[in-house]
Amino acid sequence: MNDLKRLYQRYQVEIESEVVNTLRSGWWLNGAIGKRFAANFSRFIGVSECVLVANGTDALELALAAVTKRYDGREVIVAANAGGYASCACWQNDLVPHYVDIEPASQLIALQSVLKAASAATAAIVATHLYGGVVDVRAIRDGLEQAGLSHIPIVEDCAQAHGARIGSDVAGSLGDISTFSFYPTKNLGAMGDGGAVLTSDTATAAHVRQLQQYGWSSKYQVGVPNGRNSRMDEVQAAILDVLLGDVDRRNQQRRGILDQYKSVAGRRFQFLEGGEGAVAHLAVALCDDRDAFRAFMKERGIDTDIHYPVLDCDQVGWADLPMMGSENLTVSRASVSRLCSVPCYPDMRDDEVERVCLALREWETM
């Protein structure tokens, strides 16, 4: 599904130079390189504050902690089809995930489902830009204002949407706060792990910075509860800063590959539509007879995967945890058994892309 060695080989000279310089500096945490990347990444997204953390899951947990303490509500509106990360962030903060349904063509959280679920009990809404598609956060905000619920914070989960856009606005700048993962396979991925929380609210950013450093108000002085140790190291920041300048170009390559797939897919394999500014983090389709399709592709030496095979509300290990809305997920339940992903990453060779296209053509004509 991916070959990260090709990414390293493409940027090997620049990466090794930055990594060696970072190691020789003798400053490997909380240093100038991290500050430089944070400044560059916040500028790229279009917000003023960027807090670097250990991973994308921490980012979600810290963001929810920072924005949900202002009101009495304990419910967080989330999609159930996005791998469980937002659900975990809720439970870690003693919040209750309130699952709402999705749009069939994009698999993104559905506007009307969000507005129907929103109430005075809602502590936040997590808008997950799944598979590189973009949730229309502005439309959610407008709907909340019309319902007299404009105080509800919107958290953008951008773990799969680095560089995605609605018009000229970049995903991560649309809500009150946003979170990113830099897991290696992301559109902007580290060579290890990392995450970030972004916002233009300086008070919220300050709260996140406290929470990521044990809740300190000053060294060894705890000022707020529920803090932790969550930091990105300088080496990962250096690598990400090298790769950041090429994100838009590599996203364009991803979209180009997905466009080729779409041109040959048809009735039996329908690729999702994430919006004009989508960045093709994954090439995901709704597939009839998925098991047969996966066996068919395996025979031709092509990997497939399922993102994601179980809805959050149906995970056996979470059955006894508090949750709401699982009975109202018609589209989510109809889709989960049909989802299938094929390889789509910017370092794919032309012959590999063509091999997938040929296989898709053959599948459509069977």
Side-chain angles (χ1 to χ4, degrees):
M1 292 294 290
N2 210 323
D3 187 343
L4 293 172
K5 187 183 293 185
R6 296 181 190 177
L7 169 68
Y8 172 66
Q9 292 169 340
R10 184 178 294 271
Y11 298 95
Q12 181 174 352
V13 173
E14 299 96 323
I15 286 172
E16 290 184 357
S17 175
E18 286 296 319
V19 168
V20 168
N21 288 339
T22 301
L23 294 174
R24 287 175 176 171
S25 76
W27 197 302
W28 303 331
L29 281 171
N30 301 331
I33 303 301
K35 291 181 176 65
R36 182 185 72 189
F37 171 65
N40 289 338
F41 191 59
S42 61
R43 190 177 306 113
F44 174 75
I45 298 301
V47 299
S48 60
E49 304 284 341
C50 174
V51 184
L52 302 181
V53 298
N55 53 67
T57 304
D58 277 6
L60 268 172
E61 292 178 13
L62 294 169
L64 276 177
V67 300
T68 58
K69 304 306 181 186
R70 309 172 190 174
Y71 308 105
D72 294 332
R74 307 308 298 157
E75 299 172 16
V76 178
I77 293 174
V78 297
N81 68 327
Y85 313 109
S87 293
C88 284
C90 291
W91 290 314
Q92 290 295 326
N93 281 293
D94 193 28
L95 299 165
V96 179
H98 185 154
Y99 299 115
V100 298
D101 215 356
I102 56 176
E103 298 288 353
S106 67
Q107 299 288 292
L108 299 173
I109 198 166
L111 171 63
Q112 292 306 315
S113 295
V114 171
L115 298 180
K116 183 178 180 180
S119 72
T122 305
I125 296 165
V126 177
T128 299
H129 301 305
L130 194 62
Y131 307 137
V134 190
V135 176
D136 192 343
V137 175
R138 290 198 201 106
I140 294 175
R141 175 61 67 204
D142 289 345
L144 292 175
E145 289 179 355
Q146 292 173 20
L149 297 170
S150 59
H151 66 277
I152 298 175
I154 299 176
V155 179
E156 291 181 77
D157 176 3
C158 306
Q160 300 185 2
H162 309 70
R165 289 171 168 82
I166 286 186
S168 61
D169 294 329
V170 182
S173 68
L174 303 166
D176 297 278
I177 194 168
S178 61
T179 66
F180 287 82
S181 167
F182 301 114
Y183 185 79
T185 57
K186 302 301 186 183
N187 293 47
L188 176 60
M191 294 182 177
D193 214 339
V197 180
L198 286 88
T199 182
S200 287
D201 186 309
T202 56
T204 299
H207 191 177
V208 173
R209 289 189 176 97
Q210 278 190 279
L211 291 172
Q212 69 153 169
Q213 183 80 355
Y214 309 111
W216 285 354
S217 52
S218 60
K219 193 171 184 180
Y220 305 134
Q221 302 294 317
V222 176
V224 295
N226 304 317
R228 69 180 67 187
N229 168 11
S230 184
R231 297 181 289 240
M232 180 190 293
D233 68 71
E234 293 287 278
V235 170
Q236 298 306 328
I239 292 167
L240 289 166
D241 211 35
V242 169
L243 300 177
L244 175 59
D246 240 5
V247 168
D248 285 337
R249 184 183 67 82
R250 290 174 66 80
N251 283 343
Q252 187 173 2
Q253 292 174 313
R254 287 175 180 270
R255 285 192 294 265
I257 293 168
L258 183 55
D259 285 344
Q260 290 184 63
Y261 295 166
K262 287 179 178 179
S263 71
V264 298
R267 178 181 54 84
R268 302 186 69 193
F269 204 79
Q270 301 155 3
F271 283 97
L272 304 182
E273 297 292 342
E276 187 176 336
V279 292
H281 171 64
L282 293 167
V284 182
L286 293 171
C287 177
D288 296 328
D289 202 358
R290 181 175 67 190
D291 291 344
F293 173 77
R294 297 191 74 192
F296 172 88
M297 296 298 271
K298 186 175 182 179
E299 289 172 358
R300 287 149 183 78
I302 299 170
D303 284 340
T304 60
D305 207 342
I306 302 172
H307 299 90
Y308 297 94
V310 183
L311 298 180
D312 296 9
C313 53
D314 295 336
Q315 291 284 5
V316 173
W318 294 339
D320 294 331
L321 296 177
M323 62 181 75
M324 300 176 61
S326 59
E327 69 279 4
N328 298 316
L329 304 176
T330 304
V331 177
S332 302
R333 294 194 182 284
S335 302
V336 71
S337 63
R338 300 179 64 214
L339 293 165
C340 190
S341 305
V342 296
C344 180
Y345 60 98
D347 298 303
M348 286 183 74
R349 299 191 308 267
D350 290 345
D351 66 295
E352 293 171 330
V353 175
E354 181 57 27
R355 184 146 58 105
V356 176
C357 288
L358 287 171
L360 290 175
R361 284 194 196 97
E362 186 180 352
W363 175 255
E364 287 292 350
T365 57
M366 286 177 60

